[in-house]
Amino acid sequence: MTTSTAGTAASDSFTHRVLPYDGPGQLLAGAVPFLLDGVDAGDRVVAVCRPDRESLLRDALGPAAAGIEFADAATWYGHPSRTLADCLSDADDTAWRGRRLRVLGDPVWARRSRLEVVEWQRVEAVLNVAFRGTGAALLCPYEASLPAGVVAAARRTHPETVRGARAVPNPGYVDPWAYSAQCDAEPLPAPPAGADTLKIDRPDLFWLRAYVTEYARSTPLPEDDLQRLLVAVTEVVTNAWRHGEPPILLRMWTEAPDGVPALVCEVGDGGRWASGTGYGLIPPRPGGPASGGRFGLWAVRLLCSIVQIRTGDGGSVVRLRLALPGPGAQG
């Protein structure tokens, strides 16, 4: 059994590696040893990939494929925060049982908007913090035909690159929190001139919810998503009221950047948040404090399609996006 691409016990250190490949041969050269090592070591081995890649891997693995769980990438990579939470929970549960979780995760990049791509790249970065101590081994194939920016970002979010049976350090690897800050460096576009605006002078949640409901029901937002939005907006407005500074403004509008329609709900206040809080990017761990989050923002990220946060001398803004039914919409 080779051990160059991962450790062999649940107690080994966490690894997160990128596998750049150009064609099936290079994919198999890196993926097959990684998966076989896991089967031989008694790990829980999961291969997340497209159906055509699953067939390719099964043929190359032969009988060993019976010891591997295969999952469809389109389903697995459904929502950044939910995928992170589910995989982390699996890693913790597997480690508790004395085994190691080993995942070959082939990310889905096609047909995603620019904002979705940024959030998935952020997940690739912050999981380096979230998975510490789990002993998990993650290997992420990136095809050479992907947009150059996607492949370049992978080298910044993965500590190591796999080349054949070897793992080598990535000189371009960036600290996860620094990378996340870079994701938020670009100012948000100004709300459209026609955005509905509500100035919040008192913490009256009944009228706040009524206002949000009335606007949301003028859009095709499904009822289940409306309920999620109400919980998320209540959380963010409550935080702004308790911890921010006036004026507190709620704005709502719809837009379709990159052809992906969305309902946008923005809460702004005049305060500036402290840096280094994580802003709810990492899920709480069992038995631990609310991790890396601020004022329940982890729950808000779970409820919305995308959450964008900006803070500075000019105040703080939390922009919530929920996908609307339409071509290319994702939840």
Side-chain angles (χ1 to χ4, degrees):
M1 179 183 72
T2 61
T3 58
S4 57
T5 57
T8 58
S11 60
D12 288 348
S13 60
F14 161 67
T15 61
H16 182 213
R17 293 163 176 165
V18 60
L19 170 59
Y21 71 95
D22 187 4
Q26 290 184 5
L27 171 64
L28 294 176
V32 169
F34 174 80
L35 297 172
L36 289 178
D37 279 358
V39 173
D40 290 345
D43 296 345
R44 179 186 172 191
V45 185
V46 181
V48 184
C49 52
R50 305 192 313 251
D52 61 322
R53 293 289 186 255
E54 177 178 342
S55 298
L56 185 69
L57 288 169
R58 285 186 181 275
D59 289 343
L61 290 164
I68 298 172
E69 303 171 35
F70 286 88
D72 179 58
T75 302
W76 177 279
Y77 292 101
H79 182 281
S81 296
R82 296 171 204 158
T83 295
L84 175 62
D86 290 344
C87 191
L88 180 58
S89 177
D90 285 346
D92 282 334
D93 182 66
T94 305
W96 183 81
R97 297 173 187 275
R99 301 173 69 199
R100 179 182 220 184
L101 178 67
R102 184 182 296 244
V103 178
L104 177 75
D106 194 357
V108 175
W109 301 104
R111 297 183 299 279
R112 293 203 187 278
S113 70
R114 183 180 64 87
L115 294 180
E116 289 174 311
V117 168
V118 168
E119 292 310 307
W120 282 107
Q121 289 172 330
R122 191 201 304 268
V123 165
E124 288 273 48
V126 300
L127 67 79
N128 292 300
V129 177
F131 278 74
R132 288 173 185 167
T134 65
L138 309 180
L139 180 62
C140 305
Y142 277 69
E143 195 167 9
S145 61
L146 289 169
V150 171
V151 178
R155 299 186 186 277
R156 301 170 65 205
T157 57
H158 295 72
E160 296 176 301
T161 291
V162 168
R163 295 174 181 168
R166 289 192 311 128
V168 297
N170 264 333
Y173 175 68
V174 176
D175 172 82
W177 293 127
Y179 184 89
S180 180
Q182 292 171 9
C183 293
D184 297 332
E186 182 180 350
L188 294 176
D196 267 35
T197 303
L198 174 68
K199 185 176 181 181
I200 301 175
D201 296 315
R202 52 190 176 137
D204 190 330
L205 297 180
F206 174 83
W207 290 109
L208 170 71
R209 294 188 183 109
Y211 175 85
V212 172
T213 297
E214 180 179 8
Y215 186 90
R217 285 186 171 154
S218 71
T219 76
L221 187 72
E223 185 66 24
D224 287 350
D225 285 344
L226 169 57
Q227 298 308 313
R228 295 186 184 97
L229 176 61
L230 291 175
V231 175
V233 171
T234 298
E235 176 67 25
V236 175
V237 169
T238 300
N239 294 338
W241 185 262
R242 291 176 178 172
H243 308 286
E245 297 178 10
I248 300 173
L249 298 176
L250 172 71
R251 295 184 175 94
M252 299 187 71
W253 68 92
T254 60
E255 61 184 29
D258 301 321
V260 180
L263 170 62
V264 183
C265 184
E266 176 184 285
V267 179
D269 71 76
R272 177 169 185 166
W273 293 3
S275 61
T277 62
Y279 301 140
L281 289 167
I282 295 180
R285 302 295 289 277
S291 68
R294 180 185 173 95
F295 313 134
L297 284 174
W298 168 250
V300 172
R301 290 186 184 276
L302 288 176
L303 292 165
C304 300
S305 302
I306 293 176
V307 177
Q308 297 171 284
I309 298 173
R310 301 291 188 271
T311 185
D313 293 338
S316 298
V317 170
V318 180
R319 187 170 288 186
L320 313 176
R321 307 178 64 87
L322 279 88
L324 294 172
Q330 299 203 21

